[in-house]
C-alpha cells in the first residue's frame, strides 16, 4: 500500500485535529498549547523509505485526551506520538540496550533505565527475557503524584523528568508499578564528557544528588529521525520505535512496519495492562524463540511476583 | 491594674498544680539535657545526610521510603487524638475529661510538629521545599497533606490555646516571681483576660465552634495521609478502606498515647488527686473501643485480600503472614492489639483464681531464668564451630536454648497475669505502651513491605539493595524526633499547667451543685476531689 501525497496530508490533518482537540481541553485546564498549524507537514519518522519500500498510510490518529499535566512538545516533535514495540521473541538477553543507554546518558552505577529481566509468567510457561524501559504511560501514576510537576507528560507522549525541579520526595518511585524510576542517593561520579554538556531535558544529564531519574525515550535522537540508544543498539532488532500518528515503527535492522498491524497481528500487549496506566510500550509475546531461554529465574519469587 | 475580680483564692491542690511552673528540680534539667543531647546527635546525623545524600540511609531504589515515612505516619496518627478526643468529650459534655483534655491537646501539638518535619527530612532536595508553595500541584496527594496538616496544626493550636487563656491570666497574676520573659509571655498570651462575663461568653462560643470544626479537620488529616499510599497502584497500598483504616488506627494509638502521658505526668508531677484511677479506667475503655474498631478494620483489610490471594498481592501477604516480615506483622497484631485489649479487660474480671494455684508461676524467678537462658543463647551463638564430629554442636545448643527462651517468655507472660490483675493502673499503662509500640511497628509494616514487593521481580541488584536495614543516621534522626516530641511536651508542661485549673474548678463547682454543698467523692464528675483508692501505680 503506497502512501499517496493526499493520504499523507490526511494523516497530518488528522494529527493536527487531534492535537487541536487536546489543545481545547488543555486551554480549558488553563494551559495553552500551540497546536500544529493547519497544512503544516511533518517529515516521516521512518524516513528510510528506500529500504523498506513505501511508508504505509496511517489510520487517522485517535484523538488523545491528555492527562492533567501536559506540556507542549518541542516544535520538532509536534504532532508526534512516540511509541515503542518490544518483540520478546527476539530478545536474547544480551543487555546491549542497557549498555548503550547507560553509555549515552552516563547513567550512574546501580541504575538501569532499560532493565532486562529474566521473567516467567507461571510454572509451565518458559522463562523469557523482558526489557523494561520507562513505559511512558498515557495515564502515568508518577506524573499524577508529583507535587511540583518535576515529571510531566508531554504532548508527544514522553514522560519527562526534570532534575532541575525535582525535590527528591520519591513519591514517583513509590507510585510507579514498573520499578522504572531511580534515585541518585549520593552524588554520582562524573566524567568530563558528562559534565561538558549543560543539563537538558533531552539528555537528562549531568546527574546530580537527591533527584529522581529515568528513561526518557531519547527525545533528541527521535527528533533527528534516529532510534533511541537502546533500540539502535539491539543486535536482534527486538526494539521498534516510531510515531503512533504515522502508524510506523522501525527497528535497528531497518525493518519498518505498520505499528497497528504489528501489534494486532502478533497479539501484542502492554505490561500490567490491567492497571490502566496505558503504557506507550507494547510487547509482542515470546513465541518461537530463536535463542537460549534465560536460566530459570529462581530469584523471581523472592521479590516480586 | 492587677485586679482579681471574682476568682476565688487557689485551693491547696491548685497551688500544687502551679508548683512545677515555679520550681524546676534537677531532674527536670537533667531530663531536658538528655533530650537536647539526643536532638543534637540527630542534627549531626542530618548534617551527614545533607552532606553525603540519602545514600547514608538504608533506603535504595526498591525500598525508597523507610523509617522517616513510618515516623511521619506514626506522629500524625498520635496527633489525632488530642484534638479529636477532647473535642468529642467537650461536645458530649463528658465531665471526667476536665483534667486530661489539655494533656491530650498538647500531644496533638507536639506530635504534629514532629510529624510535619519528617517528610522534609526524607527529601533528597530539602532546599527546594519552596517549590511546593511556588508551583505545587493540587492533583498530588502531597499537596492535600500539606493543606490538611497545616490546617490541623493551626486549628489544634487554637483549640489548645483557647481554653488556656483563663489559666494564663491566672499565671500572669500569680507567677510574679518568674523570669521577665515568662511574665512577658503570660501577659501577651493572656490577651488581657479579666474574666468578665462577656469574655467568658465569647470564650465558650469560640471553644464550641473550634470543637465542632476540629473533628472533620482531624479526620481529613489522617485520611489524606493514608491516601499518600492509597492513591498508588502498589499491592498492599491499593486499598479502598485505607482512609478509615488509618483514622481508626490513629485514634487508637493516640488514645493510648494520652494514657501513657497521663501516667507519666501523674507520676512526675504527683497529680494523684487529679488524674485518678477512674480516669485511667475511662480512657482505657476508650482505647478498648477504638482497639476493637481498629482490629475490625485490620481483619477487613487483610482477610478480603488474603482470602482471594490475587497474584500481585500473594508474595507480599506470604511474607507478612509467614515470611521474613512475619515477626513484625504478628507483633503489631498480637502485642499491638490482642494483648493490650486483654490487659484492659483483665482488671475488670472479678475472680482470677487459676494462676494463683500455680506457685511455680512467679514472675521473678522466671524472669531470672529467661535472662540466663538469653545470655547462654548469645554465648552459644558466638561460639566457634568446635568439635565438628560432636553430636551436639553449638548451633544446636543455641537452637534448644532459643526454644527454651520462648517457653520461658510465655511463662513470664502468664505469671504476669495475676500481678497485673491486682494492679489495674499498671495493667492499663502497660497496655497503652504496647499499643504505641505496636502502632509504630504497624506503620513500618505498612510502608516498607509493599516496596519490597514490586510487580516486577527484584533482579540484578546487589543483595543489600533488595533489603531494608535502617542505618545509624535514620535511627539517630528517629530518636531525635521522639526526643523533640518529649522536649516540646516537657517544656510546655513547665510553662503552663498541664491540668486545666479553671476547668477542673468549674467541674468541681458543678459536681458540688449537683450533689449538694457537702464535698462528696464523685469519681466520675470532677474527679480531682475524689479519694478513689489508689490501687497499683
Amino acid at each position: 500500500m503506497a502512501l499517496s501525497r493526499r493520504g499523507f496530508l490526511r494523516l497530518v490533518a488528522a494529527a493536527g485535529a487531534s492535537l487541536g482537540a487536546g489543545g481545547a481541553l488543555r486551554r480549558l485546564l488553563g494551559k495553552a498549547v500551540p497546536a500544529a498549524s493547519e497544512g503544516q507537514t511533518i517529515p516521516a519518522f521512518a524516513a528510510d523509505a528506500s529500504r523498506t519500500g513505501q511508508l504505509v498510510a496511517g489510520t487517522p490518529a485517535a484523538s488523545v485526551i491528555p492527562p492533567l499535566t501536559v506540556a507542549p512538545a518541542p516544535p520538532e516533535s509536534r504532532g508526534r506520538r512516540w511509541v515503542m514495540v518490544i518483540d520478546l521473541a527476539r530478545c536474547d538477553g544480551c543487555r546491549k540496550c542497557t549498555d548503550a543507554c547507560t553509555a549515552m546518558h552516563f547513567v550512574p552505577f546501580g541504575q538501569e533505565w532499560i532493565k532486562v529481566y529474566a521473567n516467567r509468567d507461571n510454572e509451565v510457561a518458559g522463562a523469557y527475557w523482558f526489557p523494561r524501559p520507562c513505559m511512558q504511560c498515557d495515564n502515568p501514576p508518577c506524573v499524577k503524584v508529583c507535587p511540583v510537576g518535576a515529571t510531566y507528560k508531554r504532548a508527544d507522549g514522553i514522560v519527562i523528568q526534570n532534575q532541575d525541579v525535582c525535590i527528591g520526595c520519591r513519591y514517583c518511585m513509590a507510585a510507579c508499578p514498573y520499578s522504572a524510576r531511580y534515585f541518585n542517593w549520593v552524588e554520582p561520579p562524573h566524567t568530563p564528557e558528562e559534565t561538558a554538556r549543560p543539563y537538558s531535558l533531552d539528555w537528562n544529564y549531568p546527574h546530580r544528588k537527591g533527584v529522581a531519574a529515568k528513561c526518557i525515550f531519547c527525545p533528541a535522537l527521535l527528533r533527528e529521525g534516529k532510534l533511541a540508544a537502546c533500540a539502535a543498539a539491539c543486535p536482534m532488532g527486538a526494539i521498534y520505535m516510531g510515531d503512533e500518528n504515522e502508524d510506523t515503527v522501525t527497528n535497528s535492522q531497518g525493518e519498518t512496519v505498520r505499528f497497528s498491524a504489528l501489534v494486532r497481528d502478533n497479539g501484542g500487549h502492554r505490561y500490567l495492562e490491567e492497571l490502566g496506566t496505558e503504557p506507550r510500550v507494547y510487547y509482542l509475546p515470546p513465541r518461537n524463540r530463536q535463542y537460549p531461554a534465560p536460566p530459570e529465574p529462581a530469584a523471581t519469587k523472592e521479590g516480586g511476583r | 491594674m492587677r485586679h482579681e475580680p471574682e476568682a476565688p483564692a487557689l485551693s491547696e491542690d491548685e497551688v500544687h498544680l502551679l508548683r512545677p511552673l515555679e520550681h524546676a528540680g534537677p531532674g527536670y534539667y537533667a531530663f531536658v539535657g538528655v533530650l537536647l543531647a539526643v536532638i543534637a546527635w540527630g542534627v549531626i546525623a542530618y548534617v551527614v545526610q545533607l552532606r553525603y545524600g540519602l545514600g547514608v540511609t538504608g533506603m535504595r531504589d526498591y525500598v525508597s521510603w523507610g523509617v522517616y515515612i513510618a515516623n511521619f505516619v506514626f506522629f500524625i496518627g498520635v496527633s489525632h487524638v488530642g484534638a479529636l478526643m477532647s473535642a468529642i468529650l467537650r461536645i458530649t459534655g463528658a465531665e471526667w475529661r476536665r483534667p486530661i483534655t489539655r494533656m491530650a491537646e498538647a500531644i496533638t501539638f507536639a506530635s504534629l510538629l514532629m510529624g510535619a518535619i519528617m517528610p522534609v527530612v526524607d527529601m533528597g532536595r530539602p532546599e527546594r521545599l519552596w517549590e511546593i508553595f511556588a508551583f505545587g500541584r493540587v492533583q498530588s496527594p502531597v499537596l492535600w497533606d500539606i493543606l490538611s496538616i497545616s490546617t490541623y496544626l493551626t486549628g489544634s493550636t487554637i483549640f489548645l490555646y483557647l481554653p488556656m487563656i483563663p489559666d494564663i491570666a491566672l499565671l500572669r497574676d500569680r507567677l510574679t516571681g518568674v523570669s521577665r520573659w515568662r511574665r512577658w509571655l503570660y501577659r501577651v498570651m493572656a490577651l488581657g483576660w479579666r474574666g468578665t462575663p462577656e469574655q467568658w461568653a465569647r470564650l465558650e462560643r469560640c471553644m464550641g465552634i473550634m470543637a465542632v470544626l476540629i473533628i472533620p479537620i482531624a479526620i481529613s488529616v489522617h485520611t489524606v495521609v493514608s491516601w499518600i499510599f492509597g492513591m498508588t497502584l502498589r499491592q498492599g497500598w491499593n486499598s479502598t478502606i485505607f482512609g478509615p483504616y488509618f483514622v481508626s488506627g490513629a485514634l487508637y494509638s493516640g488514645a493510648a498515647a494520652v494514657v501513657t502521658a497521663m501516667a507519666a505526668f501523674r507520676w512526675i508531677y504527683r497529680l494523684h488527686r487529679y488524674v485518678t484511677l477512674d480516669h485511667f479506667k475511662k480512657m482505657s475503655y476508650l482505647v478498648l473501643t477504638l482497639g476493637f474498631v481498629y482490629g475490625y478494620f485490620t481483619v477487613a483489610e487483610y482477610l478480603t485480600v488474603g482470602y482471594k490471594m490475587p497474584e500481585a498481592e500473594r508474595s507480599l501477604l506470604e511474607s507478612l503472614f509467614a515470611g521474613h516480615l512475619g515477626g513484625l506483622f504478628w507483633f503489631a497484631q498480637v502485642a499491638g492489639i490482642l494483648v493490650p485489649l486483654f490487659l484492659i479487660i483483665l482488671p475488670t474480671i472479678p475472680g482470677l483464681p487459676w494462676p494463683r494455684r500455680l506457685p511455680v508461676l512467679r514472675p521473678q524467678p522466671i524472669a531470672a531464668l529467661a535472662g540466663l537462658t538469653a545470655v547462654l543463647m548469645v554465648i552459644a551463638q558466638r561460639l566457634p564451630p568446635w568439635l565438628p564430629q560432636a553430636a551436639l554442636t553449638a548451633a544446636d545448643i543455641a537452637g534448644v536454648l532459643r526454644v527454651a527462651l520462648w517457653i520461658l517468655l510465655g511463662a513470664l507472660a502468664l505469671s504476669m497475669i495475676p500481678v497485673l490483675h491486682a494492679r489495674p493502673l499498671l495493667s492499663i499503662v502497660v497496655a497503652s505502651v504496647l499499643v504505641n509500640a505496636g502502632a509504630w511497628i504497624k506503620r513500618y509494616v505498612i510502608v516498607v513491605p509493599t516496596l519490597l514487593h514490586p510487580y516486577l521481580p527484584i533482579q540484578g541488584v546487589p543483595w543489600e539493595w533488595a533489603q531494608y536495614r535502617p542505618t545509624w543516621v535514620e535511627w539517630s534522626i528517629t530518636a531525635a524526633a521522639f526526643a523533640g516530641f518529649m522536649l516540646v511536651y516537657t517544656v510546655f508542661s513547665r510553662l503552663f499547667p498541664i491540668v486545666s485549673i479553671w476547668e477542673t474548678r468549674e467541674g468541681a463547682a458543678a459536681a458540688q451543685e449537683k450533689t449538694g454543698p457537702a464535698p462528696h467523692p464523685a469519681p466520675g464528675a470532677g474527679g480531682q476531689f475524689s479519694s478513689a483508692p489508689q490501687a497499683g501505680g
Side-chain angles (χ1 to χ4, degrees):
Chain A
M1 205 161 41
L3 175 68
S4 64
R5 185 182 162 75
R6 178 177 298 192
F8 183 66
L9 284 177
R10 201 186 297 144
L11 174 70
V12 171
S18 72
L19 263 181
L25 189 61
R26 260 172 258 136
R27 268 190 292 281
L28 202 69
L29 294 166
K31 209 167 207 174
V33 175
S37 61
E38 215 169 309
Q40 180 191 342
T41 56
I42 302 169
F45 172 71
D48 196 1
S50 62
R51 194 148 31 149
T52 53
Q54 295 284 323
L55 264 184
V56 288
T59 46
S63 130
V64 177
I65 298 171
L68 284 177
T69 303
V70 168
E76 309 84 25
S77 284
R78 219 154 272 166
R80 303 294 196 186
R81 299 283 294 165
W82 302 118
V83 70
M84 182 185 272
V85 181
I86 299 179
D87 189 349
L88 297 176
R90 290 196 190 186
C91 176
D92 65 351
C94 70
R95 297 197 164 88
K96 291 215 166 59
C97 52
T98 313
D99 295 342
C101 170
T102 301
M104 173 156 292
H105 298 282
F106 304 100
V107 175
F109 172 75
Q111 305 182 14
E112 291 169 283
W113 288 4
I114 179 166
K115 186 181 176 102
V116 181
Y117 287 86
N119 213 356
R120 190 182 193 184
D121 294 330
N122 57 55
E123 293 291 317
V124 184
Y128 58 91
W129 297 106
F130 182 82
R132 185 242 45 212
C134 169
M135 301 290 178
Q136 317 291 346
C137 306
D138 279 346
N139 184 17
C142 55
V143 168
K144 284 182 180 175
V145 300
C146 180
V148 292
T151 187
Y152 57 92
K153 184 77 178 171
R154 223 163 57 175
D156 61 357
I158 294 178
V159 174
I160 286 288
Q161 170 70 29
N162 189 344
Q163 298 193 3
D164 274 344
V165 177
C166 178
I167 61 171
C169 71
R170 307 190 297 292
Y171 198 176
C172 54
M173 304 177 71
C176 177
Y178 302 101
S179 309
R181 287 182 155 272
Y182 295 91
F183 189 73
N184 289 319
W185 296 95
V186 293
E187 184 69 37
H190 297 287
T191 59
E193 298 84 24
E194 179 206 357
T195 46
R197 190 195 284 272
Y199 177 75
S200 79
L201 298 180
D202 277 350
W203 297 99
N204 218 0
Y205 64 78
H207 302 279
R208 74 284 305 271
K209 182 179 77 178
V211 294
K214 71 172 193 73
C215 154
I216 48 165
F217 259 24
C218 295
L221 293 179
L222 290 178
R223 279 213 302 278
E224 293 169 17
K226 294 179 187 158
L227 291 172
C230 53
C234 180
M236 307 290 283
I239 305 179
Y240 296 82
M241 289 191 84
D243 178 5
E244 190 177 3
N245 287 342
E246 200 177 293
D247 198 20
T248 315
V249 286
T250 304
N251 68 3
S252 63
Q253 311 299 306
E255 296 169 66
T256 298
V257 289
R258 264 186 79 157
F259 161 70
S260 58
L262 182 69
V263 173
R264 185 179 59 231
D265 296 347
N266 293 289
H269 71 283
R270 297 176 293 185
Y271 191 61
L272 299 178
E273 190 97 59
E274 67 273 20
L275 297 183
T277 52
E278 308 286 336
R280 300 201 64 74
V281 177
Y282 289 76
Y283 289 94
L284 305 183
R287 298 169 68 237
N288 303 325
R289 279 163 282 171
Q290 302 293 312
Y291 55 85
E296 296 305 313
T300 302
K301 285 288 164 194
E302 191 58 42
R305 56 186 209 158
Chain B
M1 286 299 286
R2 292 277 146 79
H3 304 298
E4 187 60 29
E6 95 273 31
L10 289 182
S11 73
E12 200 178 316
D13 283 343
E14 288 162 337
V15 171
H16 177 76
L17 277 182
L18 290 181
R19 193 170 305 147
L21 279 65
E22 288 168 308
H23 312 284
Y28 169 82
Y29 289 106
F31 187 58
V32 169
V34 169
L35 292 180
L36 284 175
V38 173
I39 292 169
W41 181 250
V43 170
I44 291 172
Y46 185 60
V47 170
V48 169
Q49 180 182 305
L50 278 182
R51 169 71 183 79
Y52 297 102
L54 284 162
V56 298
T57 69
M59 295 184 277
R60 287 298 177 267
D61 285 324
Y62 282 104
V63 183
S64 52
W65 281 346
V67 291
Y68 295 153
I69 299 295
N71 289 341
F72 165 68
V73 180
F74 177 81
F75 278 121
I76 300 292
V78 167
S79 80
H80 234 67
V81 80
L84 191 54
M85 191 196 80
S86 100
I88 291 172
L89 294 182
R90 276 180 201 282
I91 289 173
T92 53
E95 281 297 317
W96 59 274
R97 72 168 196 271
R98 292 179 184 278
I100 58 174
T101 45
R102 186 166 297 163
M103 286 180 199
E105 288 154 18
I107 284 185
T108 294
F109 178 73
S111 64
L112 261 184
L113 284 182
M114 294 306 131
I117 290 172
M118 274 299 132
V120 180
V121 171
D122 189 62
M123 279 168 67
R125 287 269 168 176
E127 79 275 14
R128 294 182 180 171
L129 186 63
W130 61 271
E131 288 182 6
I132 288 182
F133 304 98
F135 34 89
R137 292 175 66 249
V138 286
Q139 299 97 322
S140 169
V142 172
L143 266 284
W144 310 345
D145 267 49
I146 290 170
L147 208 68
S148 62
I149 289 175
S150 54
T151 309
Y152 188 46
L153 184 58
T154 316
S156 61
T157 308
I158 296 172
F159 190 58
L160 167 69
Y161 173 57
L162 283 177
M164 277 167 56
I165 295 174
D167 276 2
I168 294 173
L170 186 124
L171 300 179
R172 173 197 62 194
D173 298 337
R174 279 196 69 93
L175 293 190
T176 46
V178 295
S179 59
R180 259 182 75 188
W181 75 270
R182 274 179 69 184
R183 274 181 313 203
W184 172 84
L185 183 78
Y186 294 143
R187 196 173 63 244
V188 172
M189 286 186 73
L191 296 180
W193 179 267
R194 289 278 168 266
T196 63
E198 193 193 9
Q199 284 179 328
W200 276 113
R202 278 190 191 154
L203 182 72
E204 295 285 349
R205 190 173 160 72
C206 288
M207 277 165 53
I209 292 171
M210 282 312 295
V212 173
L213 271 184
I214 207 80
I215 294 175
I217 296 174
I219 289 176
S220 81
V221 169
H222 223 63
T223 303
V224 295
V225 165
S226 84
W227 284 350
I228 288 268
F229 308 102
M231 290 298 163
T232 68
L233 293 162
R234 303 293 292 270
Q235 41 253 30
W237 293 352
N238 187 0
S239 163
T240 51
I241 67 163
F242 249 34
Y245 184 30
F246 271 48
V247 170
S248 72
L251 285 173
Y252 179 50
S253 68
V258 171
V259 175
T260 314
M262 279 161 59
F265 282 122
R266 178 183 143 111
W267 178 62
I268 295 167
Y269 291 148
R270 309 257 160 247
L271 299 178
H272 299 66
R273 307 288 301 272
Y274 286 90
V275 184
T276 63
L277 177 64
D278 188 63
H279 290 101
F280 280 96
K281 279 187 176 167
K282 288 216 163 63
M283 273 307 294
S284 77
Y285 297 153
L286 199 61
V287 174
L288 184 74
T289 313
L290 294 167
F292 279 125
V293 174
Y294 183 58
Y296 161 75
F297 270 113
T298 305
V299 172
E301 167 71 13
Y302 287 101
L303 185 65
T304 48
V305 184
Y307 182 85
K308 295 171 282 194
M309 275 289 172
E311 165 72 6
E313 264 87 359
R314 196 174 302 158
S315 67
L316 171 67
L317 288 184
E318 277 166 1
S319 74
L320 283 181
F321 292 163
H324 65 288
L325 297 160
L328 291 176
F329 178 79
W330 289 114
F331 179 86
Q333 310 310 330
V334 175
I337 302 179
L338 292 180
V339 172
L341 297 192
F342 172 73
L343 287 180
I344 291 170
I345 298 171
L346 181 67
T348 67
I349 302 171
L352 199 66
W354 59 268
R356 293 186 186 282
R357 295 209 197 100
L358 300 169
V360 191
L361 283 176
R362 287 274 176 270
Q364 294 90 343
I366 296 175
L369 206 56
L372 183 68
T373 314
V375 170
L376 286 177
M377 190 183 81
V378 171
I379 293 173
Q381 276 171 340
R382 297 280 163 86
L383 282 180
W386 91 107
L387 294 180
Q389 302 303 317
L392 212 58
T393 65
D396 290 336
I397 296 171
V400 171
L401 285 172
R402 182 180 298 119
V403 174
L405 183 62
W406 276 109
I407 294 171
L408 283 170
L409 287 177
L412 186 64
L414 278 181
S415 70
M416 288 305 288
I417 289 177
V419 176
L420 292 172
H421 181 254
R423 295 169 179 77
L425 199 147
L426 181 65
S427 187
I428 291 167
V429 173
V430 169
S432 68
V433 171
L434 277 177
V435 168
N436 277 315
W440 192 90
I441 299 283
K442 184 73 209 307
R443 307 303 182 260
Y444 182 90
V445 168
I446 285 171
V447 174
V448 174
T450 287
L451 295 168
L452 279 171
H453 292 86
Y455 284 96
L456 277 160
I458 296 179
Q459 287 179 356
V461 292
W463 183 76
E464 314 87 64
W465 295 15
Q467 312 264 316
Y468 177 57
R469 292 251 184 286
T471 61
W472 69 271
V473 173
E474 286 164 285
W475 289 128
S476 304
I477 292 176
T478 302
F482 278 89
F485 169 77
M486 286 190 266
L487 184 69
V488 172
Y489 211 177
T490 308
V491 171
F492 177 85
S493 74
R494 169 98 169 88
L495 289 179
F496 308 103
I498 197 68
V499 171
S500 178
I501 292 173
W502 72 267
E503 283 184 277
T504 43
R505 184 188 289 165
E506 189 185 73
Q512 275 199 354
E513 220 166 85
K514 203 183 283 176
T515 56
H520 188 79
Q528 74 280 8
F529 290 130
S530 77
S531 48
Q534 307 292 318

